Structures are given as structure tokens and as C-alpha cells.
Amino acid sequence: LRRFSMAALATMRALPALIIGLSMATAMRVAVMPSAPAFQRSHRALPPSMDISQGTIGVGIIGAGRIGIVHLEALALCPTVKPVIISNPTVSKAKAAAEMYPGMAWTDTDIDVINHPDVDAVWICSPSQFHAAQITAC
């Protein structure tokens, strides 16, 4: 396990902000901002077990818009992947996507996807402005 100084960690957290063109001062302010609120953080009872030799990887998808459906269709073609659950704030979109694949669940919240016991990996296909909070929750 590598150990980093707090300044190095803050700089690493600032890199995405720097890449999109923010100044270093603004990027560092973003880097030291608190992460997602505690109620959004997920705490898994068991760690995911992504051992392809033992079976398939359960995937949860956040977002049932155009890009979410494209990724769902691609994932469904992978022999070592099983789409488990999909979420969308408009639950009818998530339900319609899930009904294309027998046994797949749907929900209206991203946290349900992140905390689903059969999900080993999460595909984030939501609008970009939600990515940071969803990545932090994962």
C-alpha cells in the first residue's frame, strides 16, 4: 500500500478539474471539498467477488437513457457478464430496459444499484453532472 501526503492526494483529486480547464486554485478548492453526503455513501456487507473463473460478473447500470441502453445491450452480449439491475429517475425507462432481459431488476435510485448484493461492478451512464457523486458513492 502506497502512502501519499495530504497535498499529493489533494493534487490527485484536483487532476480531473485541471483537465477540464479550471485554474489550479479552483481545482484545489474542488479537491478538498467534502465528498458525497454520508447518506449517499454505500457500505457493502460483503466485498464484491469478481472472479471470472468462478462464473460471471454482476453489473449494475446507472442511467437508462440512450447511452445506458447502448451499454446494457453490449454488456448483455458478454458471456462473463450478467446485467443485474438498472436505475433511472424516470422509473418507466428503467423498467422498460430491464424487461428486455429476464431476471433483471430496476429502480429509480442509483444507490439501489450501488448497494445491490449481486452487483460487482457499476456502469455509470447518467448525465455527466451526476458522475462525481455516483463515483464517490461507489
Side-chain angles (χ1 to χ4, degrees), residues 35-60:
S35 59
F39 69 87
Q40 287 186 343
R41 293 190 185 131
S42 64
H43 300 283
R44 289 179 170 270
L46 298 171
S49 57
M50 296 189 295
D51 185 358
I52 294 175
S53 66
Q54 297 297 317
T56 59
I57 296 174
V59 175

Side-chain angles (χ1 to χ4, degrees), residues 4-94:
F4 296 100
S5 70
M6 291 306 288
L9 289 173
T11 302
M12 285 186 274
R13 288 185 66 197
L15 288 176
L18 291 170
I19 290 168
I20 62 170
L22 297 178
S23 70
M24 183 61 172
T26 302
M28 291 304 286
R29 278 197 307 274
V30 169
V32 295
M33 288 175 62
S35 59
F39 69 87
Q40 287 186 343
R41 293 190 185 131
S42 64
H43 300 283
R44 289 179 170 270
L46 298 171
S49 57
M50 296 189 295
D51 185 358
I52 294 175
S53 66
Q54 297 297 317
T56 59
I57 296 174
V59 175
I61 300 160
I62 298 174
R66 182 184 59 82
I67 199 66
I69 299 303
V70 168
H71 282 265
L72 174 58
E73 290 169 350
L75 288 165
L77 296 173
C78 295
T80 57
V81 172
K82 179 182 189 278
V84 174
I85 185 171
I86 189 165
S87 71
N88 201 76
T90 306
V91 76
S92 60
K93 285 186 172 185

Side-chain angles (χ1 to χ4, degrees), residues 107-127:
T107 182
D108 64 344
T109 65
D110 53 1
I111 296 301
D112 289 346
V113 172
I114 294 165
N115 289 327
H116 194 286
D118 297 332
V119 169
D120 298 309
V122 175
W123 250 242
I124 298 177
C125 301
S126 59

